[in-house]
Amino acid sequence: MAHSKVIGKLSLTTALAALIAVLSSTAAQALVIDFEDNSIEPNHNEDVSKPITSQDFLFKPTLPPEQTQYALANNVFEAHNDSTYFIIRNLVDDKTLESFINPVILSKGDATPFSLVSFDLAEWGEPQDQAQTVEVVGFLAGGGSITKIISFDGITDGGGLLKDFQTVMFNQQWGNLSRVEFKGLEAPVSEELSEQPGFQVNSFAIDNIEVGEAFEEPQTEVPEPSSILGIFVLGAVGCGSSLTKKITQR
């Protein structure tokens, strides 16, 4: 009897271990672009005039650097997460109040498709220069595009207890991308036209961009990971109980 119980428990344990291994393998395929390979000291920021790379992904502007300013920063202004993050500043002409069409492009260094899972987003810069929304456009490897407009959560307490960065999640429609474009919008520019040429900006910070291998969007609904885990656990329990019963009968 004792022997049969041991075999039943081993069967359940083996099934659970196999399931965890499969789920862990899938998760391991994800990569987080955290910009720490372009590390900046705390309380500093550094303007960048050329495309940068991080974790073999490329970030570059669609217009010349003087019209798309970006930087690397660490705990500057009210955006604090104790790590290096990426700043995008989309310019607005003070005289005409017209925004340049100048998103920053994210693509894989070897130009192969990828999936976008999530990223962290925060307000950055002087209040009058902060973007109110961010437009994210994903260009599908097979043609076409998908767009997501993100509003900020309004939390900017710097080194306080609240999180300055909010996490934005993306669904399976963002699973087969050739590139992603980020653009800040709706900075509260002044209604008074400046007497001198100048610019105001739509600034924002991004960090911890989670990307993964490309995959085709499934045509049918797929159960959530928690549901799949439940199915495997129930199956494993059933198999273990059945095996135990058969051995006991013998």
Side-chain angles (χ1 to χ4, degrees):
M1 179 68 69
H3 181 64
S4 63
K5 288 183 178 180
V6 171
I7 293 177
K9 290 180 179 179
L10 287 176
S11 301
L12 176 57
T13 302
T14 303
L16 288 175
L19 174 61
I20 293 171
V22 170
L23 295 179
S24 300
S25 175
T26 302
Q29 295 175 0
L31 173 71
V32 177
I33 304 171
D34 58 10
F35 303 103
E36 294 308 315
D37 44 2
N38 294 274
S39 183
I40 300 295
E41 294 183 2
N43 307 314
H44 287 78
N45 66 283
E46 181 179 317
D47 288 339
V48 180
S49 59
K50 297 180 180 180
I52 70 166
T53 58
S54 181
Q55 301 285 0
D56 295 324
F57 277 76
L58 177 68
F59 295 81
K60 66 177 182 179
T62 55
L63 290 179
E66 63 270 16
Q67 295 179 351
T68 304
Q69 298 179 351
Y70 49 99
L72 293 163
N74 186 337
N75 289 1
V76 178
F77 287 102
E78 297 302 313
H80 285 226
N81 67 354
D82 297 320
S83 70
T84 298
Y85 50 79
F86 186 54
I87 305 301
I88 298 175
R89 293 174 285 193
N90 297 125
L91 305 184
V92 176
D93 191 316
D94 276 348
K95 280 195 170 183
T96 64
L97 302 184
E98 292 181 356
S99 298
F100 292 113
I101 307 301
N102 59 342
V104 167
I105 302 171
L106 165 66
S107 61
K108 205 169 180 180
D110 59 7
T112 57
F114 61 97
S115 61
L116 178 61
V117 179
S118 67
F119 65 78
D120 293 343
L121 177 69
E123 295 92 335
W124 194 87
E126 299 291 347
Q128 69 270 19
D129 292 333
Q130 294 177 5
Q132 301 298 296
T133 60
V134 171
E135 179 183 87
V136 184
V137 181
F139 290 85
L140 305 176
S145 64
I146 183 171
T147 301
K148 186 180 183 74
I149 302 294
I150 306 161
S151 297
F152 290 91
D153 59 11
I155 298 175
T156 55
D157 72 335
L161 297 178
L162 300 177
K163 291 184 178 181
D164 301 316
F165 283 81
Q166 63 193 82
T167 299
V168 182
M169 304 296 297
F170 293 83
N171 61 26
Q172 292 180 327
Q173 292 178 307
W174 299 75
N176 189 24
L177 307 172
S178 60
R179 70 182 190 276
V180 175
E181 296 183 356
F182 302 88
K183 181 169 63 175
L185 300 171
E186 302 177 4
V189 297
S190 172
E191 295 181 358
E192 297 182 4
L193 299 181
S194 173
E195 295 181 0
Q196 300 294 328
F199 301 97
Q200 292 184 339
V201 300
N202 283 279
S203 61
F204 61 97
I206 57 175
D207 198 6
N208 299 322
I209 305 171
E210 186 175 358
V211 294
E213 295 182 2
F215 60 87
E216 295 290 343
E217 181 187 359
Q219 299 300 313
T220 57
E221 292 187 3
V222 177
E224 294 294 326
S226 58
S227 301
I228 297 174
L229 179 60
I231 293 171
F232 270 88
V233 170
L234 289 175
V237 170
C239 290
S241 300
S242 176
L243 180 60
T244 302
K245 184 177 179 180
K246 289 181 180 179
I247 293 177
T248 301
Q249 290 176 346
R250 292 178 182 176

